[in-house]
Amino acid sequence: MTTDTAATSAKPSREAPPAESKALRKAGDWARRAPLLPALIFVIVMTQLPFAATLVISFMNWNAYYPDERGFAGFDNFARVFTDTNTRQAVVVTIVLTVAVVLISLVLGLLIAMLLDRKFLGRGIVRTMMITPFLIVPVAAALLWKHALYNPEYGLFNGLLTTVFGDNAPQPDWITNNPLWAIIVALVWQWTPFMMLILLAGLQSRPLDVVEAARIDGASSWQIFRHMTLPHLRQYIELSGLLGAIYVVQNFDHVFTITSGGLGTANLPYFIYQTFYTAQDYGRASAAGVVVVLGTLIIAMAALRTVFTIFKEESR
């Protein structure tokens, strides 16, 4: 009886008051979050502050050639972005470039992924070699295509034509004759391994027992691909296409290096570069940059939605 009374009287003294418990919990939460604060501050300073500054400048009439006319411009810069002929041309080039590179890379990536999904001698080495183009720095890859492959005098393509057809073989200037396709081919070469990696991951997540059951039931390879493999890869195709589009929309290195934006190949990033550094029109360049960011955000949201759907289905 004496022991029970002591235990009962000691119980309130071991429990912390609600306010004190809440304060301790908050202190524990901050102790866990504190190590992340430097990284969070770094990300905000390096990404959000420049974007906020760009957003503010996009509403200003700010041209370095006319310093006395600097002031608030409202939506005039955005109106000029959407009505200017050169801007519309840059938008068209960006769309054509992105769609062509993503579609061709997806088809080639799917074919290569299906080949690499089969077992053969040296498969690991071949996979590593196929990934290599994606690991090259974009500027270096563009220089490689411009000088080592496309050059009409000492490039590999014209060298092959001479080897096959002799000294009288045609020696086309690949970049001048097909400027946009010269950029597209170089980008496809670099982005096909990226598509191949994602699609290969999708192929290897197929339920092989179901595929084997369909094969035993008499299904042909084309029927298995059409009715089982392709529906299974749908979300992986969407994901790789959206992620590729996010990066190709922002491509600057290949356009700047191969054609310097000439011959009708200036896309939106190159147009922003020209407006900023050549025309010194900081307001219009910032407005065009904001438009590109908003377009990229829309594509990124669709990509994230696809990623979440894949994770949800794989967790079932």
Side-chain angles (χ1 to χ4, degrees), residues 58-71:
S58 68
F59 288 99
M60 294 178 64
N61 182 18
W62 187 353
N63 191 315
Y65 292 138
Y66 308 99
D68 297 334
E69 298 179 3
R70 187 184 307 171

Side-chain angles (χ1 to χ4, degrees), residues 218-233:
S220 64
S221 299
W222 170 249
Q223 288 173 326
I224 292 174
F225 173 78
R226 173 69 180 81
H227 299 288
M228 300 181 70
T229 303
L230 210 52
H232 175 77
L233 289 179

Side-chain angles (χ1 to χ4, degrees), residues 62-241:
W62 187 353
N63 191 315
Y65 292 138
Y66 308 99
D68 297 334
E69 298 179 3
R70 187 184 307 171
F72 182 71
F75 288 94
D76 288 352
N77 289 323
F78 291 94
R80 292 171 63 195
V81 165
F82 287 109
T83 55
D84 182 66
T85 307
N86 293 329
T87 313
R88 286 203 299 271
Q89 176 65 24
V91 171
V92 171
V93 171
T94 305
I95 293 173
V96 171
L97 191 69
T98 305
V99 172
V101 171
V102 169
L103 287 180
I104 298 173
S105 301
L106 270 176
V107 173
L108 294 178
L110 178 60
L111 294 174
I112 297 172
M114 293 184 69
L115 290 174
L116 295 181
D117 191 44
R118 300 170 180 272
K119 293 183 179 178
F120 58 87
L121 185 62
R123 185 173 64 168
I125 298 174
V126 175
R127 282 183 181 177
T128 305
M129 293 176 63
M130 293 302 298
I131 298 169
T132 305
F134 186 63
L135 304 180
I136 298 177
V137 177
V139 172
L143 287 171
L144 172 74
W145 278 87
K146 180 177 182 179
H147 293 291
L149 301 176
Y150 287 144
N151 192 286
E153 297 180 1
Y154 54 82
L156 179 63
F157 290 155
N158 283 355
L160 288 175
L161 288 177
T162 304
T163 303
V164 174
F165 298 105
D167 294 335
N168 295 325
Q171 299 288 291
D173 189 339
W174 301 90
I175 296 177
T176 304
N177 296 343
N178 304 285
L180 190 57
W181 276 104
I183 298 172
I184 289 173
V185 171
L187 282 170
V188 166
W189 176 77
Q190 190 152 35
W191 280 96
T192 296
F194 175 79
M195 308 294 185
M196 181 267 295
L197 276 178
I198 297 180
L199 297 177
L200 183 60
L203 283 173
Q204 294 187 341
S205 67
R206 282 182 307 171
L208 294 180
D209 51 345
V210 179
V211 175
E212 189 61 30
R215 202 180 301 277
I216 292 173
D217 289 340
S220 64
S221 299
W222 170 249
Q223 288 173 326
I224 292 174
F225 173 78
R226 173 69 180 81
H227 299 288
M228 300 181 70
T229 303
L230 210 52
H232 175 77
L233 289 179
R234 183 181 62 84
Q235 290 173 334
Y236 293 91
I237 293 173
E238 290 177 1
L239 177 62
S240 52

